[in-house]
Amino acid sequence: MFKTAAITLLAFFLSACVPIPQEPSQAVCREGFVVMRAGQSAHDPIVSDLPGHVDIVKAATGLDGETLTATFQFKDIPERMGLNREGMPFSTFEYFYTVNINIDGGSIYQSSLSDYTLGAYHQARNMDPSSEPLQNILHAVLWKNTVNRDEITIYFDEVPGHVGLEVSHQNDTLTMTAHVPGINQDSTVLFLAEDYLTGMDGGSCEAN
């Protein structure tokens, strides 16, 4: 697995997210995705044209010191996920679940303005279609994000340490746990789930 990745900023700036409001408990999703604070939970409406493993119905976070637990609850997580499907470019993230984190509590526009990204992903590696349980195919990681505006590039450096990952088919949840240096109750987080071939969803609409 790579220790450092670099991605151009253009794709991130094409779809900006709504800045966190003054009272996040009153937040309503209008355009893009509303950001919530670490330790909060949020519900998201079901989207009929998204598959179950992308459609977030609840995003929940727990904070114990600098240890963040982030749980995606989905409409449905299939028992097996298709891998290396037709139309997947080689080495592209086929499935990608991320929690973008801003330590100082500022606005987040996906990874382009976040300090860290807690993520779980599967990369298409060959052209042989197959299927596996989601738990078996995902690699979990915490990246520290550095924006180089001269190069129009974001660098993702893997933070040493264990990142916990658990998928529950009974509850349709995906949970990641990691030590995030400097995170606190004022930090902001943004949940995103993406299937390269079928679309993307994010939370949250109502932080509570």
Side-chain angles (χ1 to χ4, degrees):
M1 300 298 177
F2 51 75
K3 297 295 183 182
T4 302
I7 299 177
T8 59
L9 292 176
L10 178 59
F12 295 109
F13 288 126
L14 290 178
S15 56
C17 306
V18 177
I20 190 167
Q22 291 299 313
E23 295 291 337
S25 62
Q26 305 297 320
V28 176
C29 199
R30 299 185 185 278
E31 295 180 298
F33 308 119
V34 177
V35 176
M36 63 182 178
R37 296 196 183 278
Q40 288 188 315
S41 299
H43 294 275
D44 195 65
I46 290 175
V47 181
S48 60
D49 60 351
L50 283 177
H53 62 276
V54 176
D55 189 6
I56 300 171
V57 297
K58 184 178 180 180
T61 58
L63 201 57
D64 181 6
E66 293 186 338
T67 298
L68 175 69
T69 299
T71 300
F72 295 76
Q73 183 173 0
F74 293 102
K75 183 169 53 183
D76 174 64
I77 298 178
E79 290 295 328
R80 299 180 74 87
M81 306 286 288
L83 304 181
N84 308 311
R85 297 165 294 170
E86 184 178 355
M88 281 302 306
F90 177 78
S91 200
T92 300
F93 287 171
E94 190 164 13
Y95 303 108
F96 198 22
Y97 303 99
T98 60
V99 181
N100 291 295
I101 304 160
N102 234 349
I103 297 301
D104 65 3
S107 301
I108 303 176
Y109 296 87
Q110 298 190 31
S111 296
S112 61
L113 288 180
S114 62
D115 298 307
Y116 292 93
T117 297
L118 177 60
Y121 64 87
H122 168 72
Q123 283 181 283
R125 288 297 191 182
N126 57 59
M127 302 306 294
D128 297 323
S130 61
S131 66
E132 290 282 348
L134 186 61
Q135 176 85 40
N136 295 357
I137 65 173
L138 292 179
H139 174 68
V141 64
L142 177 67
W143 284 305
K144 182 171 177 56
N145 308 334
T146 303
V147 178
N148 187 317
R149 299 189 181 278
D150 292 334
E151 298 178 5
I152 320 179
T153 301
I154 307 171
Y155 290 93
F156 297 84
D157 293 309
E158 187 168 340
V159 178
H162 175 70
V163 177
L165 173 67
E166 181 179 356
V167 175
S168 169
H169 291 281
Q170 180 177 357
N171 299 317
D172 294 311
T173 55
L174 184 159
T175 301
M176 292 182 283
T177 304
H179 175 261
V180 183
I183 195 170
N184 57 78
Q185 291 182 342
D186 292 326
S187 301
T188 45
V189 297
L190 170 67
F191 282 66
L192 294 171
E194 183 173 7
D195 178 329
Y196 182 88
L197 295 179
T198 61
M200 181 178 74
D201 194 21
S204 59
C205 287
E206 297 179 0
N208 51 69

